Amino acid sequence: MSRLELLVDRDGPLTRAAVLADGRLTDLHVDHADRPSLVGAIILGRVERIATGLNGAFVDLGNGLSGLLPAADVRRPILDDDSPQSRAHRHPQRPGAKPAPIGALLRTGQPVLVQVKADAVGAKGPSLTMDLTLPGRFLVHAPLGRDIAVSKRLGSGPERAALAHRIEQLATGAGWIVRAGAGQISDDLLAAESEALHLQWRAIRDDARAGCAPRLLHPGPDAPTRALIEQGAAAPAAILVDDPPPTGGIKIGEGPLLAGLRDWCGRHAPDLLPRLGAHRDAQHLFDLRDLDSAIAELLDVRVLLPLGGSLVIERTEALTVVDVNAGERGNPLEVNLDAAAEIARQLRLRNVGGIVVVDFVNMRSRGDAERLLAALSQAVESDPVQTQIYGMSKLGLVELTRARRGTPLAALLRP
């Protein structure tokens, strides 16, 4: 098994969290102080306008920002208790049913508790939902839900039902999604995370009832926290934090990055506290591990494959196009299999979202094409962002989609 490390630093306006497997960059999370992301934030908004043509409502989020809440994502207002009877009225729409008209669900001026699913893109505001979730490493709390859902990655055998029953006995409150890997986690850790997430929800709910709209109730997770959450049960062996020197040049106690991570781990991941430490070398951590050059390469159009050949990754207005070049290598299948693994890695590191079209090297055999699609499916399986492969077209192009999450890396790193 690979040795995982999480390295965290602050470089000017950028807070960076890099995950390395055996020294190689596999995940990168970046926050830009001047371009903050709202993904995951829970906001007490106010309905600004009913958009009948879109069957949705524009919600005032504060600070001059409004987002679209589709009728399919509307849930009834939070009631004053958490009883099963109360929760039973929170999901009036059956799965797959046609959403009710937005005018029958919301009215102008009504306060609504929403969560940001996707940041604003161009003139399009943030996408919103009332299906609130609070993610942890092993569990995701869906406090307005009633059921326990188990990740599809855990298969469909009796172990799945046994894990659901186990979480039902351990978890605090109702509404849980069990993440892949949770089955190998101790009861104590699962119960502790459940309690922390439920307490977090109760604080949000009480704050929503106490104040006026629009108002931010809970920010989305920052870059280091996102990195730990998305690693799930694959905990890093070491977490090193390189806090910038204070303005006066005299460092007393922990820096803000390390202190923030220590606080979060204390509440949500106590098992990680012994692995958390400060980088004390005079040379900057990302320089020492040659990460600055690795990150700079993620802005390049051309990516060299380890055994020869290359990828060309270009973003257009509508989609991302990836072209696979064999170079001097003679076996198309071998080139394509290498490319599939690197494409999955690049999409994840660059935070590419939307439609992706890949032009692999031409292959003669249908069996080779099926083997390639299976390899690509396996390569994207560990991606925490939903990625769907639609197969190969008659022109030999592989089509896939990757859900949009936050700002693409290129936009965050541009001057």
Side-chain angles (χ1 to χ4, degrees):
M1 182 176 289
S2 300
R3 184 179 189 273
L4 297 178
E5 300 171 275
L6 174 61
L7 310 183
V8 179
D9 87 337
R10 182 165 289 155
D11 180 24
L14 302 178
T15 299
R16 307 181 294 182
V19 178
L20 280 67
D22 293 333
R24 188 174 189 231
L25 182 64
T26 58
D27 272 296
L28 180 66
H29 300 265
V30 179
D31 289 338
H32 197 303
D34 300 327
R35 303 167 200 159
S37 171
L38 283 175
V39 172
I42 296 177
I43 300 170
L44 182 63
R46 187 174 296 280
V47 177
E48 192 173 50
R49 178 166 59 90
I50 300 295
T52 306
L54 298 173
N55 201 21
F58 286 99
V59 177
D60 180 11
L61 304 175
N63 298 318
L65 186 65
S66 63
L68 180 65
L69 175 64
D73 283 297
V74 173
R75 300 294 176 260
R76 291 186 180 180
I78 300 171
L79 303 181
D80 290 334
D81 64 90
D82 279 323
S83 66
Q85 294 82 5
S86 179
R87 289 191 296 274
H89 292 287
R90 290 178 180 165
H91 291 264
Q93 301 177 43
R94 296 188 306 276
K98 184 178 179 180
I102 190 64
L105 300 173
L106 297 175
R107 66 180 186 279
T108 302
Q110 179 180 355
V112 286
L113 192 58
V114 296
Q115 188 167 36
V116 178
K117 291 197 297 184
D119 281 321
V121 178
K124 181 182 176 183
S127 299
L128 308 176
T129 182
M130 291 178 75
D131 273 331
L132 310 181
T133 56
L134 294 170
R137 293 189 296 152
F138 320 122
L139 303 170
V140 177
H141 194 15
L144 304 189
R146 294 170 284 166
D147 303 321
I148 294 175
V150 180
S151 170
K152 294 178 181 178
R153 295 177 181 177
L154 293 173
S156 57
E159 298 84 1
R160 185 185 181 91
L163 182 57
H165 178 72
R166 182 179 166 211
I167 298 302
E168 186 177 17
Q169 303 301 312
L170 291 171
T172 304
W176 294 97
I177 301 167
V178 185
R179 299 185 61 191
Q184 292 137 29
I185 304 303
S186 70
D187 287 358
D188 288 345
L189 275 180
L190 291 173
E193 181 168 86
S194 162
E195 178 69 17
L197 291 173
H198 189 65
L199 286 174
Q200 194 175 59
W201 160 243
R202 292 177 69 89
I204 294 168
R205 182 199 61 187
D206 294 346
D207 194 10
R209 292 172 178 165
C212 58
R215 187 161 51 93
L216 175 67
L217 302 176
H218 178 72
D222 61 13
T225 305
R226 286 198 308 275
L228 288 176
I229 288 173
E230 292 194 357
Q231 284 304 119
I239 305 170
L240 284 177
V241 181
D242 188 4
D243 265 297
T247 306
I250 301 175
K251 189 172 183 179
I252 301 175
E254 292 183 344
L257 286 177
L258 181 56
L261 257 182
R262 192 178 298 281
D263 176 67
W264 185 86
C265 288
R267 288 179 287 115
H268 293 272
D271 58 307
L272 297 183
L273 284 172
R275 310 180 192 190
L276 181 61
H279 173 69
R280 305 196 182 280
D281 197 286
Q283 186 177 359
H284 290 308
L285 178 59
F286 276 45
D287 286 341
L288 188 65
R289 302 300 294 272
D290 201 25
L291 286 174
D292 285 323
S293 59
I295 293 171
E297 289 174 359
L298 296 175
L299 301 181
D300 291 342
V301 172
R302 184 174 297 274
V303 179
L304 298 179
L305 295 175
L307 300 178
S310 64
L311 310 176
V312 175
I313 304 174
E314 295 186 289
R315 175 69 188 168
T316 71
E317 188 70 24
L319 48 80
T320 299
V321 179
V322 183
D323 185 36
V324 181
N325 298 311
E328 297 181 1
R329 297 176 65 182
N331 188 318
L333 178 60
E334 288 183 0
V335 175
N336 287 338
L337 292 176
D338 287 347
E342 187 61 28
I343 287 167
R345 176 175 176 265
Q346 291 290 327
L347 295 181
R348 192 164 168 172
L349 287 170
R350 295 173 187 232
N351 196 20
V352 172
I355 300 170
V356 180
V357 175
V358 184
D359 185 8
F360 284 101
V361 179
N362 290 335
M363 296 175 294
R364 297 185 182 90
S365 162
R366 176 175 293 183
D368 286 351
E370 291 175 353
R371 185 176 169 188
L372 170 61
L373 290 174
L376 184 59
S377 297
Q378 185 176 8
V380 302
E381 187 176 344
S382 61
D383 193 335
V385 177
Q386 183 178 5
T387 304
Q388 180 73 41
I389 297 173
Y390 292 95
M392 188 173 288
S393 73
K394 292 181 179 179
L395 295 176
L397 303 175
V398 174
E399 302 166 350
L400 59 122
T401 58
R402 187 174 186 269
R404 299 183 189 276
R405 181 205 62 180
T407 307
L409 181 67
L412 285 172
L413 297 186
R414 72 169 184 261

